Structures are given as C-alpha cells and as structure tokens.
PDB file of all heavy atoms in Angstrom:
ATOM      1  N   PRO A   1      -0.999  36.045   3.660  1.00 93.00           N
ATOM      2  CA  PRO A   1       0.401  36.492   3.353  1.00 93.00           C
ATOM      3  C   PRO A   1       0.914  35.767   2.058  1.00 93.00           C
ATOM      4  O   PRO A   1       0.491  34.626   1.707  1.00 93.00           O
ATOM      5  CB  PRO A   1       1.158  36.069   4.563  1.00 93.00           C
ATOM      6  CG  PRO A   1       0.134  35.900   5.650  1.00 93.00           C
ATOM      7  CD  PRO A   1      -1.117  35.417   4.967  1.00 93.00           C
ATOM      8  N   PHE A   2       1.869  36.405   1.395  1.00 91.00           N
ATOM      9  CA  PHE A   2       2.362  35.851   0.188  1.00 91.00           C
ATOM     10  C   PHE A   2       2.998  34.496   0.338  1.00 91.00           C
ATOM     11  O   PHE A   2       2.739  33.669  -0.531  1.00 91.00           O
ATOM     12  CB  PHE A   2       3.492  36.802  -0.346  1.00 91.00           C
ATOM     13  CG  PHE A   2       4.099  36.428  -1.598  1.00 91.00           C
ATOM     14  CD1 PHE A   2       3.330  36.628  -2.886  1.00 91.00           C
ATOM     15  CD2 PHE A   2       5.331  35.836  -1.715  1.00 91.00           C
ATOM     16  CE1 PHE A   2       3.867  36.256  -4.143  1.00 91.00           C
ATOM     17  CE2 PHE A   2       5.868  35.448  -2.927  1.00 91.00           C
ATOM     18  CZ  PHE A   2       5.113  35.607  -4.114  1.00 91.00           C
ATOM     19  N   GLY A   3       3.709  34.223   1.422  1.00 91.00           N
ATOM     20  CA  GLY A   3       4.321  32.941   1.624  1.00 91.00           C
ATOM     21  C   GLY A   3       3.262  31.857   1.723  1.00 91.00           C
ATOM     22  O   GLY A   3       3.502  30.734   1.250  1.00 91.00           O
ATOM     23  N   THR A   4       2.109  32.180   2.311  1.00 93.00           N
ATOM     24  CA  THR A   4       1.061  31.175   2.473  1.00 93.00           C
ATOM     25  C   THR A   4       0.418  30.917   1.106  1.00 93.00           C
ATOM     26  O   THR A   4       0.101  29.793   0.796  1.00 93.00           O
ATOM     27  CB  THR A   4       0.001  31.705   3.461  1.00 93.00           C
ATOM     28  OG1 THR A   4       0.596  32.055   4.714  1.00 93.00           O
ATOM     29  CG2 THR A   4      -1.036  30.621   3.708  1.00 93.00           C
ATOM     30  N   LYS A   5       0.307  32.037   0.309  1.00 92.00           N
ATOM     31  CA  LYS A   5      -0.271  31.771  -1.075  1.00 92.00           C
ATOM     32  C   LYS A   5       0.561  30.906  -1.820  1.00 92.00           C
ATOM     33  O   LYS A   5       0.113  30.023  -2.641  1.00 92.00           O
ATOM     34  CB  LYS A   5      -0.385  33.144  -1.772  1.00 92.00           C
ATOM     35  CG  LYS A   5      -1.454  34.107  -1.114  1.00 92.00           C
ATOM     36  CD  LYS A   5      -1.490  35.431  -1.919  1.00 92.00           C
ATOM     37  CE  LYS A   5      -2.486  36.367  -1.292  1.00 92.00           C
ATOM     38  NZ  LYS A   5      -2.438  37.656  -1.986  1.00 92.00           N
ATOM     39  N   LYS A   6       1.917  30.977  -1.658  1.00 92.00           N
ATOM     40  CA  LYS A   6       2.823  30.039  -2.404  1.00 92.00           C
ATOM     41  C   LYS A   6       2.576  28.576  -1.983  1.00 92.00           C
ATOM     42  O   LYS A   6       2.643  27.703  -2.875  1.00 92.00           O
ATOM     43  CB  LYS A   6       4.275  30.432  -2.115  1.00 92.00           C
ATOM     44  CG  LYS A   6       4.674  31.839  -2.584  1.00 92.00           C
ATOM     45  CD  LYS A   6       5.097  31.858  -4.019  1.00 92.00           C
ATOM     46  CE  LYS A   6       6.525  31.589  -4.198  1.00 92.00           C
ATOM     47  NZ  LYS A   6       7.021  31.969  -5.561  1.00 92.00           N
ATOM     48  N   ARG A   7       2.239  28.387  -0.770  1.00 94.00           N
ATOM     49  CA  ARG A   7       1.968  26.974  -0.356  1.00 94.00           C
ATOM     50  C   ARG A   7       0.630  26.555  -0.918  1.00 94.00           C
ATOM     51  O   ARG A   7       0.451  25.321  -1.158  1.00 94.00           O
ATOM     52  CB  ARG A   7       2.020  26.874   1.171  1.00 94.00           C
ATOM     53  CG  ARG A   7       3.386  26.756   1.744  1.00 94.00           C
ATOM     54  CD  ARG A   7       3.405  26.474   3.200  1.00 94.00           C
ATOM     55  NE  ARG A   7       3.181  27.721   3.927  1.00 94.00           N
ATOM     56  CZ  ARG A   7       2.333  27.919   4.936  1.00 94.00           C
ATOM     57  NH1 ARG A   7       1.504  26.937   5.312  1.00 94.00           N
ATOM     58  NH2 ARG A   7       2.219  29.106   5.561  1.00 94.00           N
ATOM     59  N   VAL A   8      -0.396  27.473  -1.038  1.00 94.00           N
ATOM     60  CA  VAL A   8      -1.631  27.111  -1.643  1.00 94.00           C
ATOM     61  C   VAL A   8      -1.349  26.683  -3.092  1.00 94.00           C
ATOM     62  O   VAL A   8      -1.959  25.616  -3.530  1.00 94.00           O
ATOM     63  CB  VAL A   8      -2.606  28.277  -1.565  1.00 94.00           C
ATOM     64  CG1 VAL A   8      -3.872  27.944  -2.310  1.00 94.00           C
ATOM     65  CG2 VAL A   8      -2.885  28.633  -0.150  1.00 94.00           C
ATOM     66  N   GLU A   9      -0.596  27.420  -3.837  1.00 93.00           N
ATOM     67  CA  GLU A   9      -0.369  27.086  -5.252  1.00 93.00           C
ATOM     68  C   GLU A   9       0.387  25.672  -5.326  1.00 93.00           C
ATOM     69  O   GLU A   9       0.118  24.849  -6.220  1.00 93.00           O
ATOM     70  CB  GLU A   9       0.477  28.146  -5.937  1.00 93.00           C
ATOM     71  CG  GLU A   9       0.605  27.838  -7.412  1.00 93.00           C
ATOM     72  CD  GLU A   9       1.469  28.786  -8.204  1.00 93.00           C
ATOM     73  OE1 GLU A   9       2.493  29.239  -7.703  1.00 93.00           O
ATOM     74  OE2 GLU A   9       1.094  29.060  -9.376  1.00 93.00           O
ATOM     75  N   LEU A  10       1.255  25.426  -4.332  1.00 94.00           N
ATOM     76  CA  LEU A  10       1.979  24.172  -4.315  1.00 94.00           C
ATOM     77  C   LEU A  10       0.945  23.075  -4.078  1.00 94.00           C
ATOM     78  O   LEU A  10       1.002  22.023  -4.782  1.00 94.00           O
ATOM     79  CB  LEU A  10       2.975  24.173  -3.207  1.00 94.00           C
ATOM     80  CG  LEU A  10       3.860  22.965  -2.987  1.00 94.00           C
ATOM     81  CD1 LEU A  10       4.495  22.497  -4.340  1.00 94.00           C
ATOM     82  CD2 LEU A  10       4.806  23.198  -1.908  1.00 94.00           C
ATOM     83  N   GLY A  11      -0.037  23.324  -3.175  1.00 95.00           N
ATOM     84  CA  GLY A  11      -1.109  22.285  -2.945  1.00 95.00           C
ATOM     85  C   GLY A  11      -1.851  22.049  -4.160  1.00 95.00           C
ATOM     86  O   GLY A  11      -2.275  20.887  -4.418  1.00 95.00           O
ATOM     87  N   ARG A  12      -2.169  23.050  -4.947  1.00 93.00           N
ATOM     88  CA  ARG A  12      -2.973  22.878  -6.161  1.00 93.00           C
ATOM     89  C   ARG A  12      -2.165  22.048  -7.213  1.00 93.00           C
ATOM     90  O   ARG A  12      -2.750  21.124  -7.816  1.00 93.00           O
ATOM     91  CB  ARG A  12      -3.378  24.229  -6.806  1.00 93.00           C
ATOM     92  CG  ARG A  12      -4.337  24.080  -7.908  1.00 93.00           C
ATOM     93  CD  ARG A  12      -4.814  25.474  -8.371  1.00 93.00           C
ATOM     94  NE  ARG A  12      -3.752  26.285  -8.925  1.00 93.00           N
ATOM     95  CZ  ARG A  12      -3.958  27.507  -9.414  1.00 93.00           C
ATOM     96  NH1 ARG A  12      -5.089  28.008  -9.423  1.00 93.00           N
ATOM     97  NH2 ARG A  12      -3.002  28.161  -9.951  1.00 93.00           N
ATOM     98  N   ALA A  13      -0.918  22.251  -7.321  1.00 93.00           N
ATOM     99  CA  ALA A  13      -0.104  21.469  -8.232  1.00 93.00           C
ATOM    100  C   ALA A  13      -0.027  19.939  -7.800  1.00 93.00           C
ATOM    101  O   ALA A  13      -0.012  19.082  -8.561  1.00 93.00           O
ATOM    102  CB  ALA A  13       1.290  22.055  -8.333  1.00 93.00           C
ATOM    103  N   LEU A  14       0.044  19.770  -6.450  1.00 95.00           N
ATOM    104  CA  LEU A  14       0.079  18.446  -5.847  1.00 95.00           C
ATOM    105  C   LEU A  14      -1.282  17.688  -5.929  1.00 95.00           C
ATOM    106  O   LEU A  14      -1.280  16.450  -5.929  1.00 95.00           O
ATOM    107  CB  LEU A  14       0.571  18.368  -4.477  1.00 95.00           C
ATOM    108  CG  LEU A  14       2.105  18.884  -4.258  1.00 95.00           C
ATOM    109  CD1 LEU A  14       2.245  19.081  -2.745  1.00 95.00           C
ATOM    110  CD2 LEU A  14       2.991  17.785  -4.855  1.00 95.00           C
ATOM    111  N   ALA A  15      -2.346  18.439  -6.031  1.00 93.00           N
ATOM    112  CA  ALA A  15      -3.661  17.782  -5.995  1.00 93.00           C
ATOM    113  C   ALA A  15      -3.930  16.811  -7.139  1.00 93.00           C
ATOM    114  O   ALA A  15      -4.763  15.902  -7.054  1.00 93.00           O
ATOM    115  CB  ALA A  15      -4.749  18.836  -5.994  1.00 93.00           C
ATOM    116  N   SER A  16      -3.229  17.044  -8.278  1.00 90.00           N
ATOM    117  CA  SER A  16      -3.412  16.159  -9.419  1.00 90.00           C
ATOM    118  C   SER A  16      -2.617  14.862  -9.356  1.00 90.00           C
ATOM    119  O   SER A  16      -2.464  14.093 -10.239  1.00 90.00           O
ATOM    120  CB  SER A  16      -3.061  16.892 -10.720  1.00 90.00           C
ATOM    121  OG  SER A  16      -1.636  17.272 -10.762  1.00 90.00           O
ATOM    122  N   ARG A  17      -1.949  14.668  -8.156  1.00 93.00           N
ATOM    123  CA  ARG A  17      -1.120  13.459  -7.873  1.00 93.00           C
ATOM    124  C   ARG A  17      -0.008  13.289  -8.906  1.00 93.00           C
ATOM    125  O   ARG A  17       0.036  12.204  -9.506  1.00 93.00           O
ATOM    126  CB  ARG A  17      -1.974  12.215  -7.785  1.00 93.00           C
ATOM    127  CG  ARG A  17      -2.999  12.301  -6.692  1.00 93.00           C
ATOM    128  CD  ARG A  17      -3.819  10.980  -6.670  1.00 93.00           C
ATOM    129  NE  ARG A  17      -5.015  11.047  -5.764  1.00 93.00           N
ATOM    130  CZ  ARG A  17      -4.941  10.639  -4.526  1.00 93.00           C
ATOM    131  NH1 ARG A  17      -3.749  10.061  -3.970  1.00 93.00           N
ATOM    132  NH2 ARG A  17      -5.978  10.640  -3.696  1.00 93.00           N
ATOM    133  N   PRO A  18       0.788  14.370  -9.072  1.00 95.00           N
ATOM    134  CA  PRO A  18       1.869  14.204 -10.144  1.00 95.00           C
ATOM    135  C   PRO A  18       3.000  13.231  -9.762  1.00 95.00           C
ATOM    136  O   PRO A  18       3.263  13.013  -8.617  1.00 95.00           O
ATOM    137  CB  PRO A  18       2.411  15.626 -10.250  1.00 95.00           C
ATOM    138  CG  PRO A  18       2.187  16.154  -8.867  1.00 95.00           C
ATOM    139  CD  PRO A  18       0.871  15.613  -8.403  1.00 95.00           C
ATOM    140  N   LYS A  19       3.550  12.691 -10.858  1.00 96.00           N
ATOM    141  CA  LYS A  19       4.820  11.917 -10.709  1.00 96.00           C
ATOM    142  C   LYS A  19       5.977  12.816 -10.794  1.00 96.00           C
ATOM    143  O   LYS A  19       7.040  12.517 -10.237  1.00 96.00           O
ATOM    144  CB  LYS A  19       4.858  10.844 -11.785  1.00 96.00           C
ATOM    145  CG  LYS A  19       3.677   9.821 -11.637  1.00 96.00           C
ATOM    146  CD  LYS A  19       3.685   8.958 -12.929  1.00 96.00           C
ATOM    147  CE  LYS A  19       2.376   8.095 -12.986  1.00 96.00           C
ATOM    148  NZ  LYS A  19       2.260   7.262 -14.211  1.00 96.00           N
ATOM    149  N   LEU A  20       5.807  13.833 -11.574  1.00 97.00           N
ATOM    150  CA  LEU A  20       6.861  14.965 -11.764  1.00 97.00           C
ATOM    151  C   LEU A  20       6.332  16.254 -11.340  1.00 97.00           C
ATOM    152  O   LEU A  20       5.288  16.655 -11.900  1.00 97.00           O
ATOM    153  CB  LEU A  20       7.370  14.933 -13.186  1.00 97.00           C
ATOM    154  CG  LEU A  20       8.319  16.032 -13.571  1.00 97.00           C
ATOM    155  CD1 LEU A  20       9.653  15.885 -12.787  1.00 97.00           C
ATOM    156  CD2 LEU A  20       8.620  16.064 -15.085  1.00 97.00           C
ATOM    157  N   LEU A  21       6.920  16.947 -10.402  1.00 97.00           N
ATOM    158  CA  LEU A  21       6.467  18.241  -9.960  1.00 97.00           C
ATOM    159  C   LEU A  21       7.470  19.300 -10.492  1.00 97.00           C
ATOM    160  O   LEU A  21       8.749  19.227 -10.167  1.00 97.00           O
ATOM    161  CB  LEU A  21       6.377  18.297  -8.457  1.00 97.00           C
ATOM    162  CG  LEU A  21       5.952  19.678  -7.807  1.00 97.00           C
ATOM    163  CD1 LEU A  21       4.623  20.063  -8.286  1.00 97.00           C
ATOM    164  CD2 LEU A  21       6.095  19.610  -6.311  1.00 97.00           C
ATOM    165  N   LEU A  22       7.056  20.246 -11.296  1.00 96.00           N
ATOM    166  CA  LEU A  22       7.919  21.293 -11.818  1.00 96.00           C
ATOM    167  C   LEU A  22       7.624  22.557 -10.995  1.00 96.00           C
ATOM    168  O   LEU A  22       6.499  23.087 -10.798  1.00 96.00           O
ATOM    169  CB  LEU A  22       7.420  21.626 -13.265  1.00 96.00           C
ATOM    170  CG  LEU A  22       7.393  20.466 -14.258  1.00 96.00           C
ATOM    171  CD1 LEU A  22       6.877  20.974 -15.642  1.00 96.00           C
ATOM    172  CD2 LEU A  22       8.762  19.895 -14.404  1.00 96.00           C
ATOM    173  N   LEU A  23       8.670  23.051 -10.243  1.00 96.00           N
ATOM    174  CA  LEU A  23       8.635  24.180  -9.369  1.00 96.00           C
ATOM    175  C   LEU A  23       9.382  25.341 -10.071  1.00 96.00           C
ATOM    176  O   LEU A  23      10.604  25.329 -10.152  1.00 96.00           O
ATOM    177  CB  LEU A  23       9.232  23.882  -7.991  1.00 96.00           C
ATOM    178  CG  LEU A  23       8.615  22.719  -7.149  1.00 96.00           C
ATOM    179  CD1 LEU A  23       9.293  22.533  -5.860  1.00 96.00           C
ATOM    180  CD2 LEU A  23       7.166  23.146  -6.871  1.00 96.00           C
ATOM    181  N   ASP A  24       8.596  26.419 -10.371  1.00 93.00           N
ATOM    182  CA  ASP A  24       9.159  27.508 -11.051  1.00 93.00           C
ATOM    183  C   ASP A  24       9.361  28.707 -10.112  1.00 93.00           C
ATOM    184  O   ASP A  24       8.351  29.363  -9.678  1.00 93.00           O
ATOM    185  CB  ASP A  24       8.186  27.897 -12.233  1.00 93.00           C
ATOM    186  CG  ASP A  24       8.883  28.855 -13.186  1.00 93.00           C
ATOM    187  OD1 ASP A  24      10.053  29.346 -12.962  1.00 93.00           O
ATOM    188  OD2 ASP A  24       8.230  29.133 -14.300  1.00 93.00           O
ATOM    189  N   GLU A  25      10.582  28.900  -9.727  1.00 92.00           N
ATOM    190  CA  GLU A  25      10.926  29.971  -8.713  1.00 92.00           C
ATOM    191  C   GLU A  25      10.065  29.938  -7.432  1.00 92.00           C
ATOM    192  O   GLU A  25       9.481  30.945  -7.013  1.00 92.00           O
ATOM    193  CB  GLU A  25      10.781  31.372  -9.425  1.00 92.00           C
ATOM    194  CG  GLU A  25      11.632  31.537 -10.660  1.00 92.00           C
ATOM    195  CD  GLU A  25      13.054  31.866 -10.333  1.00 92.00           C
ATOM    196  OE1 GLU A  25      13.350  31.920  -9.054  1.00 92.00           O
ATOM    197  OE2 GLU A  25      13.783  32.102 -11.296  1.00 92.00           O
ATOM    198  N   PRO A  26      10.067  28.794  -6.735  1.00 93.00           N
ATOM    199  CA  PRO A  26       9.202  28.672  -5.502  1.00 93.00           C
ATOM    200  C   PRO A  26       9.666  29.599  -4.399  1.00 93.00           C
ATOM    201  O   PRO A  26       8.874  29.921  -3.579  1.00 93.00           O
ATOM    202  CB  PRO A  26       9.287  27.203  -5.118  1.00 93.00           C
ATOM    203  CG  PRO A  26      10.601  26.792  -5.694  1.00 93.00           C
ATOM    204  CD  PRO A  26      10.762  27.588  -7.015  1.00 93.00           C
ATOM    205  N   ALA A  27      10.955  29.990  -4.366  1.00 93.00           N
ATOM    206  CA  ALA A  27      11.454  30.807  -3.257  1.00 93.00           C
ATOM    207  C   ALA A  27      11.333  32.298  -3.557  1.00 93.00           C
ATOM    208  O   ALA A  27      11.686  33.109  -2.727  1.00 93.00           O
ATOM    209  CB  ALA A  27      12.946  30.441  -3.039  1.00 93.00           C
ATOM    210  N   GLY A  28      10.879  32.699  -4.764  1.00 89.00           N
ATOM    211  CA  GLY A  28      10.691  34.071  -5.069  1.00 89.00           C
ATOM    212  C   GLY A  28       9.809  34.792  -4.112  1.00 89.00           C
ATOM    213  O   GLY A  28       8.610  34.364  -3.904  1.00 89.00           O
ATOM    214  N   GLY A  29      10.282  35.926  -3.583  1.00 89.00           N
ATOM    215  CA  GLY A  29       9.456  36.669  -2.673  1.00 89.00           C
ATOM    216  C   GLY A  29       9.419  36.252  -1.226  1.00 89.00           C
ATOM    217  O   GLY A  29       8.769  36.813  -0.371  1.00 89.00           O
ATOM    218  N   LEU A  30      10.102  35.131  -0.918  1.00 91.00           N
ATOM    219  CA  LEU A  30      10.124  34.583   0.434  1.00 91.00           C
ATOM    220  C   LEU A  30      11.269  35.167   1.270  1.00 91.00           C
ATOM    221  O   LEU A  30      12.385  35.428   0.750  1.00 91.00           O
ATOM    222  CB  LEU A  30      10.177  33.065   0.393  1.00 91.00           C
ATOM    223  CG  LEU A  30       9.043  32.302  -0.345  1.00 91.00           C
ATOM    224  CD1 LEU A  30       9.281  30.803  -0.171  1.00 91.00           C
ATOM    225  CD2 LEU A  30       7.754  32.716   0.122  1.00 91.00           C
ATOM    226  N   ASN A  31      11.018  35.222   2.568  1.00 92.00           N
ATOM    227  CA  ASN A  31      12.231  35.666   3.447  1.00 92.00           C
ATOM    228  C   ASN A  31      13.046  34.526   3.812  1.00 92.00           C
ATOM    229  O   ASN A  31      12.785  33.267   3.445  1.00 92.00           O
ATOM    230  CB  ASN A  31      11.663  36.400   4.671  1.00 92.00           C
ATOM    231  CG  ASN A  31      10.712  35.500   5.585  1.00 92.00           C
ATOM    232  OD1 ASN A  31      11.009  34.285   5.711  1.00 92.00           O
ATOM    233  ND2 ASN A  31       9.735  36.126   6.167  1.00 92.00           N
ATOM    234  N   HIS A  32      14.120  34.722   4.564  1.00 92.00           N
ATOM    235  CA  HIS A  32      15.062  33.724   4.880  1.00 92.00           C
ATOM    236  C   HIS A  32      14.464  32.482   5.595  1.00 92.00           C
ATOM    237  O   HIS A  32      14.714  31.309   5.240  1.00 92.00           O
ATOM    238  CB  HIS A  32      16.238  34.289   5.756  1.00 92.00           C
ATOM    239  CG  HIS A  32      17.215  33.245   6.206  1.00 92.00           C
ATOM    240  ND1 HIS A  32      18.253  32.755   5.417  1.00 92.00           N
ATOM    241  CD2 HIS A  32      17.353  32.563   7.376  1.00 92.00           C
ATOM    242  CE1 HIS A  32      18.964  31.899   6.065  1.00 92.00           C
ATOM    243  NE2 HIS A  32      18.434  31.767   7.270  1.00 92.00           N
ATOM    244  N   ASP A  33      13.614  32.761   6.568  1.00 93.00           N
ATOM    245  CA  ASP A  33      13.047  31.684   7.303  1.00 93.00           C
ATOM    246  C   ASP A  33      12.108  30.842   6.409  1.00 93.00           C
ATOM    247  O   ASP A  33      11.994  29.658   6.479  1.00 93.00           O
ATOM    248  CB  ASP A  33      12.254  32.175   8.541  1.00 93.00           C
ATOM    249  CG  ASP A  33      13.124  32.743   9.667  1.00 93.00           C
ATOM    250  OD1 ASP A  33      14.335  32.312   9.665  1.00 93.00           O
ATOM    251  OD2 ASP A  33      12.697  33.541  10.422  1.00 93.00           O
ATOM    252  N   GLU A  34      11.298  31.588   5.554  1.00 92.00           N
ATOM    253  CA  GLU A  34      10.397  30.883   4.695  1.00 92.00           C
ATOM    254  C   GLU A  34      11.123  30.044   3.680  1.00 92.00           C
ATOM    255  O   GLU A  34      10.648  28.936   3.306  1.00 92.00           O
ATOM    256  CB  GLU A  34       9.483  31.879   4.008  1.00 92.00           C
ATOM    257  CG  GLU A  34       8.479  32.539   4.867  1.00 92.00           C
ATOM    258  CD  GLU A  34       7.726  33.744   4.245  1.00 92.00           C
ATOM    259  OE1 GLU A  34       8.318  34.329   3.366  1.00 92.00           O
ATOM    260  OE2 GLU A  34       6.567  33.995   4.665  1.00 92.00           O
ATOM    261  N   VAL A  35      12.327  30.461   3.175  1.00 94.00           N
ATOM    262  CA  VAL A  35      13.127  29.679   2.281  1.00 94.00           C
ATOM    263  C   VAL A  35      13.599  28.346   2.976  1.00 94.00           C
ATOM    264  O   VAL A  35      13.563  27.322   2.297  1.00 94.00           O
ATOM    265  CB  VAL A  35      14.296  30.467   1.719  1.00 94.00           C
ATOM    266  CG1 VAL A  35      15.278  29.597   0.937  1.00 94.00           C
ATOM    267  CG2 VAL A  35      13.770  31.685   0.832  1.00 94.00           C
ATOM    268  N   GLU A  36      13.997  28.497   4.162  1.00 94.00           N
ATOM    269  CA  GLU A  36      14.429  27.341   4.899  1.00 94.00           C
ATOM    270  C   GLU A  36      13.287  26.308   5.110  1.00 94.00           C
ATOM    271  O   GLU A  36      13.483  25.112   4.963  1.00 94.00           O
ATOM    272  CB  GLU A  36      15.003  27.705   6.276  1.00 94.00           C
ATOM    273  CG  GLU A  36      15.541  26.550   7.074  1.00 94.00           C
ATOM    274  CD  GLU A  36      16.628  25.711   6.408  1.00 94.00           C
ATOM    275  OE1 GLU A  36      17.295  26.248   5.486  1.00 94.00           O
ATOM    276  OE2 GLU A  36      16.758  24.573   6.750  1.00 94.00           O
ATOM    277  N   GLN A  37      12.107  26.853   5.422  1.00 94.00           N
ATOM    278  CA  GLN A  37      10.892  25.975   5.529  1.00 94.00           C
ATOM    279  C   GLN A  37      10.591  25.343   4.198  1.00 94.00           C
ATOM    280  O   GLN A  37      10.156  24.153   4.148  1.00 94.00           O
ATOM    281  CB  GLN A  37       9.745  26.848   6.069  1.00 94.00           C
ATOM    282  CG  GLN A  37       9.874  27.312   7.469  1.00 94.00           C
ATOM    283  CD  GLN A  37       8.885  28.385   7.823  1.00 94.00           C
ATOM    284  OE1 GLN A  37       7.947  28.652   7.101  1.00 94.00           O
ATOM    285  NE2 GLN A  37       9.035  28.946   9.004  1.00 94.00           N
TER     286      GLN A  37
END
C-alpha cells in the first residue's frame, strides 16, 4: 500500500544515519489515521 511505501522511503533516508532529515511532503496521499501515525 502507498502508506507503507512512504515508510520504506523514510527508512532508506534514515539508513545513511543522517544528522539532518529533510522530509518533503511526507503526509501527501495519506489518510487521517496514517497522518496521525
């Protein structure tokens, strides 16, 4: 599902152990419950 794919992309961004994480429209396409999560 789309919401799960968004978490996969977040995981890929975190895998490089960043000190600064840039999140570009992370809530785009998510439903109300997913936005709260």
Side-chain angles (χ1 to χ4, degrees):
F2 182 75
T4 306
K5 291 178 181 177
K6 297 276 271 193
R7 278 185 281 129
V8 176
E9 188 184 36
L10 180 55
R12 188 171 65 179
L14 291 171
S16 64
R17 301 179 185 266
K19 300 170 186 175
L20 173 65
L21 178 63
L22 307 177
L23 297 179
D24 196 354
E25 300 282 2
L30 301 184
N31 62 37
H32 176 78
D33 290 340
E34 289 171 334
V35 170
E36 181 58 26
Q37 292 167 10

